[in-house]
Each structure stands twice: as structure tokens, then as C-alpha cells.
Amino acid sequence: MNRIRKQFAPQVTYEAIQQPAESDNEDNESEVGDAASTAPQQAPFSAYEYAVFLLLGVSMLWAWNMFLAAAPYFHHRFRTDDWAATHYQPSILTVSTVTNLGSSFILAKLQKGASYPKRTVVSLLINIVVFTLLAFSTILMKDVSVATYFGFLMFMVFGASLATGINQNGVYAYVAGFGREEYTQAIMSGQGVAGVLPCIVQIISVLSVAPNRGGGGGGGGDTANDQNHPATPPQESSKSAFAYFITATAVSSLALIAFTSLVNRRSHIPSLSTTTTTTTNETDDNTSDDDSSDPNPKTRTISLWTLFQRLRPTALAMILCFTVTMTFPVFTAQIESVNQHGPSSSRLFAAPVFIPLAFLFWNAGDLLGRMLVLWPPLSLVHRPWGPAALLGFACARAAFIPLYQLCNIGGRGAVVPSDVFYLVVVQLLFGVSNGFLGSNCMMGAGLVPPEEREPAGAFMGLMLVAGLTLGSLLSFLAAGG
């Protein structure tokens, strides 16, 4: 941990201010006071705080990954209605992105008097309620009409997306106030973990069931609703869907307990409170007295346009990064193994396993990329040319899109007939580039004066959501191509 602590010491943008000795003359005090508004004031690194932010990162994306994991169950529920079966995924995507972007934008503008810890708590509570309802709907709503369940699902997606928007705003703003970039990296790494684990569970759940040979699987006590399709993936069952949703409830509950503990811990230790306040309202003597005793003091309100101007290269890089990234789910769901119909074909090459395996490679690369920023030479955000380099890198990532066209899309044949090329060169490296670029950009939110860190963190969260939304809309073009 000491090595990590040293790695994240401010390098170029800021220089640490040495505290004057008590015997120093009073002239130096005014200089230090002036510099304090631009120098990062860091509390000591805490492995406990790092772990809490890691868990918050896991919970931030775990809910959405459970929607993806439960997609076969939703298809099973809507199988009797062609329109619902065809449009439930685009509907989930539309409701999710619009709600997430709208809530993030509104909350990013509502800075005055904002309590980012409270926003985080509210978001986790909403997630707990939503996924508890979804879990029990797999038991209590088995016999409702398709239209009723479709409406219920869209309302749950709205609630989960609203919670995600609030959570991103609250967590990214709160962590930026710490002035420690490794905590931001912890959140990004937690998101990577949340992408890897569901893929592993999905692969194991398919491989754990013996393949159904031909005719419907014989006798036994199998229920009719899971025997409609040969080799039905276990994800289509109500029990699996219940497990997905209740797990999301458990993860959100654990994150809520950990985050509440962190907030209480810091509120009782003044020296560990966020350091964004002593320079906030220097012209207002009354508010400065109040701020000194407030564990969650107010920060300076700053417009989104001003934040964009100060963080322009990293903000644009963030948007471009996730705009390009959102093409990968479309291609990954369509690309088949070139060995699927070979003479020695393994179940690993069958679509129910190969597609989650491809997602696993991408998410594993994404997690690796998020961890690479811990190595000082690869932490670009501190370097004078770093923001411009990140923007250039974000544009260059578009080169991965033609690489997907070389693979076996829809079983039509591959220009490069190699699963290794697809899984390692395309999927893994595309994931690495996303994690590395996204983490560097998000860590750049801390490179502003201390009183602006929280709004900057919320702003970069908004840029992330904007990239996801734009990418989701453009992904329809990729799907059509």
C-alpha cells in the first residue's frame, strides 16, 4: 500500500505545500494560505477506504450486469409475444440511457447545498428496493400477462437507472473530495470486477447442465415450461433469475453498510474529513466558521461549461472512449466461433458458452486496463501532454471497429479465421484500452483546485454517461452494418 501511496503523489499539476514550522516568521503564512487553494490537501491513504470505494464500484455496475445476465429469462417471459420478445432489449437500453443521462445532468447542475453522501445512500436504497421487487416478481408474477410484466420491467429499469445516475453523481463527487486518485481508481476497478464475475457465473451455469440430445430429454420430473426448447440454458428459469436479482440486492446492501460506516468514520475524525472546504468562501467570515465544523462542507458552485473548459481534453476523451466502447456488445452478441461446427467441436465453442466467454475476455481486459494506471509511467493524467494524449488515444480506439468486421459475425465466415485473434487481439485489447483510458480520464477530475473537486467529479461522471448514451444510439448503426 505504501508503494501505491507513493505512486499517486501529485507530480506535475500541483506541488505539495510544505507546512511551515511554528518558528517560521508570519510572512510565510500568507504565502502558504494563498497556495493552499491550489495545492491538493491529501489525507493519509487508507486500505479500508480503498476497499469501500472498490465495493462501491462493484455495486455501481453489478445491477446493470444482472439485467444482462437475466436477458434469457426475460426472453422466456416474452416468448409468446413477438413484439415484446423483439423489443424488450432496445426498450431496456432506451429507458436506461435516457434516465441515466437525464438524472446525471440534473444532479450535476444541482451543486449548491448538495450532500453527495446522502445522494449515494439514496441511490443504494433505491437499488435495494428495485432488485428485491424484481427477485420476488419471478415468484409472484408468473401468471401475469406479457403487457403487465413488460410495463413492470420498464418501471424497474427506470428505477435502477435513476439509482445508477444518482450513484455515479454522488460517488464520483464524494471520492474526488478526498484528493486521492487511488480511490477513484478503486471505483473503476470495482466496475471491472462487476463485469468479470457475472460472465464467469454465466459460463459455469451453462456448462454445469448436461447437453440435451435431440428429443426432449426423456422422462423424470422436469417441468414443462423449461422443456419447450432443447438444451434450454438454465438462465431461463425463475430460480436463476431470482438468484441474479437477489444477489444484486445483497451487493447493494453490503455497499450501503460499508459506505455508511465510511461516512460516519470520517465525520467523527475531523482530520479525515474531505479537504475541499477551507478555501470555499474565503470572503465570507460567517460561512468559514461554520465550514470548519461541518464534516461534509459545501464546495464552490461552478457551471458545467466552466468545468468543461477546464477539463476539455479529458472530458472529450471520456465521451469518445465510451461512445466507441458501446459498439462491442453488439458485435460480441453476434460473433460466433469459427470452430463451432468443426469435427472436434467442444461445447466451449457453442454460442451459449462462446458468447459469455467473449464478454469475459473483454471484461477481463477492461479490469486489467483499470489496474495498469497504478503503474506510474502509465498514469498519464499528471503529465503536461497527458490530456491531449488521452484524447488522441480515444480517437484511435475507433480502429477496433473494423477489426470486428474481420471476425465471424452471424456465422457468415471470418476474414481472419481464428478465435484467438478475436478473443485476444480484438476483445481483450479493446477491453484493456477502455479500462486504461476511462480510469485515466476519471482520475483527471482531481486536477482542479480543492474547492472544485466534488463538482468536477460529478461532471466527469456526467461525461461518462453521455458517452454511454451516445454510444448506445450509434450502436444501432453498428448492428445494421
Side-chain angles (χ1 to χ4, degrees):
M1 288 303 177
N2 288 333
R3 177 178 296 179
I4 295 177
R5 180 180 177 183
K6 292 178 181 178
Q7 291 171 353
F8 283 90
Q11 298 174 16
V12 174
T13 306
Y14 299 113
E15 294 183 359
I17 301 299
Q18 299 294 330
Q19 295 296 331
E22 294 183 0
S23 60
D24 289 348
N25 59 47
E26 296 180 356
D27 293 338
N28 292 334
E29 294 180 1
S30 60
E31 297 178 3
V32 173
D34 293 338
S37 61
T38 58
Q41 305 171 19
Q42 293 184 327
F45 175 83
S46 167
Y48 168 76
E49 293 173 353
Y50 184 94
V52 171
F53 285 116
L54 181 72
L55 179 59
L56 286 171
V58 171
S59 68
M60 191 179 292
L61 282 193
W62 191 272
W64 177 248
N65 281 308
M66 290 303 97
F67 275 116
L68 296 179
Y73 170 75
F74 295 142
H75 187 273
H76 185 74
R77 289 294 299 260
F78 298 135
R79 69 191 185 281
T80 59
D81 188 303
D82 291 339
W83 187 93
T86 302
H87 293 90
Y88 81 91
Q89 284 185 318
S91 299
I92 289 176
L93 182 63
T94 301
V95 172
S96 174
T97 54
V98 171
T99 304
N100 199 347
L101 179 61
S103 59
S104 297
F105 178 77
I106 293 172
L107 290 171
K109 292 183 68 69
L110 296 177
Q111 300 172 20
K112 187 175 182 180
S115 174
Y116 295 107
K118 288 182 180 179
R119 290 181 180 182
T120 303
V121 169
V122 168
S123 69
L124 293 172
L125 289 173
I126 294 175
N127 253 351
I128 291 171
V129 172
V130 166
F131 283 94
T132 299
L133 291 174
L134 278 168
F136 283 97
S137 73
T138 64
I139 300 173
L140 304 177
M141 299 183 67
K142 285 185 176 181
D143 299 324
V144 301
S145 66
V146 170
T148 300
Y149 189 76
F150 188 90
F152 169 79
L153 178 60
M154 292 304 109
F155 186 69
M156 293 296 101
V157 171
F158 169 79
S161 302
L162 177 64
T164 300
I166 299 173
N167 187 269
Q168 289 173 331
N169 176 270
V171 171
Y172 284 131
Y174 185 68
V175 73
F178 283 64
R180 299 211 64 97
E181 294 163 7
E182 61 267 56
Y183 294 165
T184 302
Q185 185 273 336
I187 295 174
M188 302 298 287
S189 296
Q191 292 177 346
V193 172
V196 169
L197 293 183
C199 296
I200 296 175
V201 172
Q202 200 168 4
I203 293 171
I204 294 175
S205 66
V206 175
L207 292 177
S208 64
V209 177
N212 196 331
R213 302 184 183 276
D222 292 336
T223 58
N225 63 335
D226 282 334
Q227 291 292 330
N228 291 333
H229 309 283
T232 300
Q235 299 99 305
E236 291 188 8
S237 71
S238 297
K239 290 182 179 179
S240 295
F242 180 89
Y244 292 147
F245 296 139
I246 207 67
T247 301
T249 298
V251 171
S252 296
S253 300
L254 183 60
L256 176 62
I257 294 171
F259 181 72
T260 303
S261 173
L262 172 62
V263 173
N264 290 337
R265 175 177 179 265
R266 294 185 67 85
S267 66
H268 287 90
I269 307 177
S271 62
L272 291 181
S273 62
T274 52
T275 59
T276 61
T277 59
T278 56
T279 61
T280 302
N281 292 315
E282 294 177 353
T283 60
D284 190 341
D285 295 334
N286 295 329
T287 56
S288 63
D289 292 340
D290 294 338
D291 288 345
S292 63
S293 60
D294 185 358
N296 293 303
K298 298 179 181 179
T299 57
R300 188 170 71 184
T301 300
I302 182 169
S303 70
L304 298 183
W305 177 247
T306 300
L307 287 170
F308 176 75
Q309 289 180 312
R310 294 188 180 182
L311 299 169
R312 183 180 301 170
T314 51
L316 290 175
M318 179 72 84
I319 294 175
L320 288 174
C321 172
F322 286 95
T323 297
V324 174
T325 290
M326 286 306 290
T327 60
F328 102 89
V330 177
F331 289 115
T332 304
Q334 296 178 355
I335 294 176
E336 300 177 6
S337 169
V338 296
N339 298 306
Q340 182 175 3
H341 304 295
S344 58
S345 179
S346 166
R347 290 187 67 197
L348 195 64
F349 301 124
V353 178
F354 187 76
I355 291 176
L357 180 65
F359 275 105
L360 175 61
F361 268 81
W362 193 93
N363 283 289
D366 180 56
L367 177 58
L368 175 61
R370 294 167 190 253
M371 300 301 296
L372 285 177
V373 295
L374 290 175
W375 189 34
L378 294 181
S379 183
L380 304 181
V381 72
H382 290 288
R383 306 178 186 279
W385 46 265
L390 293 175
L391 181 56
F393 182 36
C395 295
R397 290 183 71 242
F400 278 98
I401 297 177
L403 294 182
Y404 278 108
Q405 301 290 342
L406 303 178
C407 302
N408 189 22
I409 299 177
R412 69 188 184 192
V415 177
V416 181
S418 169
D419 287 340
V420 174
F421 170 80
Y422 168 55
L423 293 176
V424 177
V425 177
V426 182
Q427 288 289 79
L428 183 69
L429 294 184
F430 195 28
V432 170
S433 68
N434 180 76
F436 173 76
L437 181 59
S439 294
N440 266 291
C441 291
M442 188 59 70
M443 288 161 55
L447 302 182
V448 294
E451 67 272 15
E452 297 177 5
R453 285 179 186 153
E454 289 187 353
F459 171 76
M460 290 303 292
L462 174 62
M463 295 298 98
L464 188 155
V465 175
L468 291 175
T469 303
L470 182 59
S472 298
L473 297 176
L474 294 178
S475 67
F476 289 103
L477 298 177

